[in-house]
């Protein structure tokens, strides 16, 4: 009997030891992960695409053996955080805190609504965690680094332009339209209507619009500021038509963009739509607007046909295959962010933020959107994305259900834009697959014989 008990005891001891060994082995495997929090409004396409883009990159990296760090291979583990930033800044902050303090992520990627990202940066700074921003445009997010670099140095803007620094790019994108109005309509001083969301990020653009268009040889006929959540902008469009505008310059980041595109198409407003419209840039916009978005020119970094870099077409194909959709700029930003992290971790052989930051600062990283390079620590806006012909840019046009690159188009940028900091050399840039901008046929027809 004693021998039986002894045998049972030995068996139990062996089982226990085996369980401990398996647990320890599992813990070691789990420890060999690098976790990245993907934060944003996941119920909206802009947040969802950050997550989808990052996942494609993580899957590719993991399938290729992971991230090599000090002789070991680490898998990339992504953790999603729906921050509800579109409706609640406090909720966005709570989501950031959960990623950092509960999920214990190594890095954070994403962010969208500017007010929410500014608040999330405080969590980033308190915890000294690198935050790669893929969606927000408020200039203050980088200007605060210029005022207190040591506290906020963990922030880098990845997937969207600073609303101040990006002004030359957004206005440069309108130049093909201005040239077309002069050439096809015979109007040497095009009339421009300005339609801009009542949103924090767009204030610098609203302030500069009148001055810049005047210096670019245009006449501004009015400025309209609808709510970002407007579902009807027919009043604004009627006023714009009455003002005899040839071009409508848009800066629309909210749901109002869809309403505008539908009503612009429905009413056949005889003015070309050009600028930022984050609803009209989506592939589903064609179906959502019943094709009324046709001939709209919108700011985006990659079109369906893009071959901007050697990675662009690969990413577009992978995203389409997996999600039957084309990525928004946040999707490209999510994808590029994960590959950027892999690059700098392997180069620095560290996960320490203070070790990685100088490496990121010196990196010129070619991704799907162009070459990502950041403003230096002594800039007014450190760690911001540099816009320019050798870096990051883009404008696409909807034509008969497809999206085409139309800018840069091989023309130099206006002297008025160079005077405020735009880089020269745009005449050397025309990506493969780029088409010439085309005025909407109904605009050409309306203005025949008129000025």
């Amino acid at each position: 009997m004693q021998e039986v008990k002894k045998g049972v005891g030995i068996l139990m001891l062996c089982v226990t030891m085996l369980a401990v060994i398996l647990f320890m082995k599992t813990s070691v495997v789990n420890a060999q992960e690098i976790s990245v929090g993907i934060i944003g409004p996941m119920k909206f396409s802009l947040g969802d695409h950050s997550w989808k883009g990052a996942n494609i990159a993580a899957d590719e990296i993991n399938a290729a053996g992971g991230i090599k760090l000090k002789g070991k291979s680490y898998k990339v583990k992504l953790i999603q955080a729906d921050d509800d930033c579109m409706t609640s800044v406090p909720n966005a902050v709570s989501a950031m805190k959960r990623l950092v303090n509960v999920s214990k992520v190594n890095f954070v990627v994403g962010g969208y609504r500017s007010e929410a990202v500014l608040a999330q940066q405080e969590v980033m700074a308190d915890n000294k965690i690198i935050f790669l921003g893929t969606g927000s445009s408020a200039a203050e997010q980088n200007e605060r680094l210029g005022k207190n670099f040591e506290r906020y140095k963990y922030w880098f803007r990845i997937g969207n332009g600073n609303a101040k620094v990006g002004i030359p790019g957004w206005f440069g994108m309108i130049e093909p339209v201005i040239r077309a109005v002069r050439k096809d309509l015979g109007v040497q001083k095009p009339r421009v209507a300005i339609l801009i969301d009542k949103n924090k990020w767009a204030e610098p653009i609203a302030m500069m619009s009148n001055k810049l268009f005047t210096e670019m040889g245009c006449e501004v006929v009015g400025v309209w500021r609808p709510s970002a959540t407007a579902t009807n902008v027919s009043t604004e469009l009627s006023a714009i038509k009455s003002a005899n505008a040839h071009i409508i310059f848009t800066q629309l980041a909210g749901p109002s963009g869809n309403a505008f595109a539908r009503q612009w198409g429905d009413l056949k407003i005889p003015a070309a739509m050009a600028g930022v419209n984050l609803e009209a840039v989506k592939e589903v916009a064609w179906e959502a607007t019943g094709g009324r978005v046709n001939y709209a020119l919108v700011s985006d970094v990659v079109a369906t046909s893009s071959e901007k870099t050697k990675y662009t077409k690969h990413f577009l194909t992978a995203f389409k295959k997996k999600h039957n959709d084309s990525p928004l700029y946040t999707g490209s930003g999510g994808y590029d962010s994960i590959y950027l992290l892999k690059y700098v971790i392997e180069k620095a052989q560290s996960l320490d933020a203070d070790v990685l930051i100088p490496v990121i600062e010196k990196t010129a990283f070619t991704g799907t959107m162009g070459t990502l390079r950041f403003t230096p620590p002594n800039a007014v806006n450190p760690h911001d994305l540099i816009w320019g012909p050798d870096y990051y840019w883009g404008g696409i046009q909807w034509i008969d259900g497809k999206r085409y690159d139309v800018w840069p188009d091989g023309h130099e940028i206006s002297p008025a834009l160079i005077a405020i900091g735009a880089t020269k050399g745009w005449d050397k840039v025309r990506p493969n697959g780029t088409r010439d901008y085309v005025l909407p046929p109904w605009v050409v027809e309306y203005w025949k014989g008129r000025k």
Side-chain angles (χ1 to χ4, degrees):
M1 191 68 175
Q2 289 295 330
E3 290 181 359
V4 172
K5 287 184 178 181
K6 186 178 179 180
V8 171
I10 292 171
L11 179 61
M12 291 298 293
L13 179 60
C14 290
V15 170
T16 301
M17 290 178 67
L18 179 60
V20 169
I21 291 169
L22 289 173
F23 175 77
M24 290 175 66
K25 186 176 180 181
T26 303
S27 297
V28 169
V29 171
N30 288 341
Q32 289 184 197
E33 293 177 334
I34 295 171
S35 60
V36 183
I38 310 298
I39 194 166
M42 297 300 168
K43 297 181 183 68
F44 294 81
S45 296
L46 289 150
D48 180 52
H49 279 221
S50 284
W51 172 251
K52 288 175 176 174
N55 264 281
I56 291 173
D59 287 346
E60 290 175 353
I61 290 168
N62 290 341
I67 296 176
K68 305 298 188 288
L69 176 60
K70 295 181 178 178
K72 296 180 181 179
S73 294
Y74 288 75
K75 297 292 187 182
V76 179
K77 178 183 179 182
L78 302 184
I79 299 174
Q80 186 185 101
D82 184 353
D83 67 2
D84 191 31
C85 67
M86 303 295 277
T87 59
S88 172
V89 171
N91 285 356
V93 173
S94 295
M96 184 74 164
K97 287 180 176 177
R98 286 194 299 274
L99 276 180
V100 175
N101 299 321
V102 179
S103 299
K104 303 289 186 183
V105 296
N106 299 104
F107 306 95
V108 178
V109 168
Y112 179 63
R113 183 182 168 195
S114 292
E115 294 85 345
V117 172
L118 284 164
Q120 289 169 340
Q121 283 182 312
E122 300 299 337
V123 182
M124 166 204 77
D126 288 342
N127 292 275
K128 300 182 178 182
I129 187 167
I130 290 175
F131 185 5
L132 305 181
T134 62
S136 185
S137 294
E140 293 93 325
Q141 291 157 0
N142 290 80
E143 290 172 347
R144 66 190 343 187
L145 275 71
K147 297 171 183 175
N148 190 347
F149 183 77
E150 282 305 310
R151 175 162 173 78
Y152 296 108
K153 65 184 179 181
Y154 307 95
W155 164 264
F156 289 84
R157 194 191 306 278
I158 298 290
N160 196 23
N162 178 325
K164 288 183 182 177
V165 176
I167 283 175
W170 280 315
F171 283 80
M173 187 184 76
I174 310 303
E175 292 195 292
V177 189
I178 295 172
R179 287 195 296 270
V181 169
R182 287 174 176 154
K183 178 176 179 287
D184 298 342
L185 305 185
V187 176
Q188 295 310 303
K189 193 172 185 177
R191 291 185 290 274
V192 180
I194 296 168
L195 188 75
I196 299 179
D197 270 348
K198 288 180 183 175
N199 259 337
K200 183 179 182 65
W201 72 273
E203 293 306 322
I205 303 165
M207 290 172 63
M208 292 288 288
S209 295
N210 205 320
K211 175 179 182 294
L212 285 177
F213 276 121
T214 300
E215 292 175 353
M216 291 165 71
C218 301
E219 175 190 352
V220 175
V221 297
V223 179
W224 287 265
R225 301 294 303 273
S227 165
T229 57
T231 56
N232 189 322
V233 291
S234 58
T235 301
E236 288 85 351
L237 283 169
S238 296
I240 288 168
K241 183 177 181 179
S242 298
N244 289 318
H246 301 106
I247 301 168
I248 307 173
F249 175 64
T250 62
Q251 296 290 304
L252 306 173
S256 61
N258 238 345
F260 173 72
R262 284 197 307 271
Q263 292 171 332
W264 173 74
D266 273 339
L267 300 171
K268 294 292 182 188
I269 299 298
M273 183 214 302
V276 172
N277 186 335
L278 294 187
E279 290 296 321
V281 80
K282 300 174 185 177
E283 185 174 287
V284 295
W286 186 263
E287 183 178 345
T289 65
R292 294 169 184 84
V293 75
N294 206 14
Y295 293 97
L297 170 62
V298 288
S299 176
D300 199 10
V301 288
V302 288
T304 310
S305 59
S306 278
E307 296 182 36
K308 184 176 288 187
T309 77
K310 62 182 179 181
Y311 304 109
T312 309
K313 191 171 183 179
H314 163 77
F315 173 58
L316 290 170
T317 302
F319 199 98
K320 184 70 173 179
K321 182 178 180 180
K322 188 167 184 178
H323 301 294
N324 194 31
D325 197 1
S326 294
L328 299 173
Y329 73 92
T330 53
S332 299
Y335 182 88
D336 287 354
S337 291
I338 303 303
Y339 270 105
L340 175 63
L341 287 172
K342 177 184 187 295
Y343 175 82
V344 297
I345 290 167
E346 291 185 338
K347 186 174 180 65
Q349 285 297 293
S350 177
L351 294 176
D352 185 277
D354 288 323
V355 175
L356 291 172
I357 286 169
V359 179
I360 300 174
E361 289 171 347
K362 295 172 184 175
T363 294
F365 180 80
T366 301
T368 63
M369 302 179 287
T371 297
L372 307 183
R373 192 154 193 177
F374 307 98
T375 49
N378 61 356
V380 174
N381 57 321
H383 295 182
D384 216 333
L385 198 61
I386 297 176
W387 283 60
D390 298 321
Y391 300 107
Y392 170 91
W393 31 254
I396 68 171
Q397 185 177 21
W398 278 103
I399 300 177
D400 297 334
K402 293 184 178 180
R403 307 183 310 161
Y404 296 96
D405 284 314
V406 296
W407 186 83
D409 59 357
H411 290 266
E412 184 57 276
I413 206 164
S414 166
L417 303 179
I418 292 172
I420 63 167
T423 307
K424 293 182 180 181
W426 294 93
D427 56 327
K428 307 294 192 298
V429 181
R430 186 179 174 102
N432 291 335
T434 299
R435 290 192 173 195
D436 290 332
Y437 171 80
V438 180
L439 278 173
W442 66 87
V443 173
V444 176
E445 181 65 28
Y446 179 87
W447 288 106
K448 274 184 180 177
R450 310 186 196 192
K451 298 291 183 182

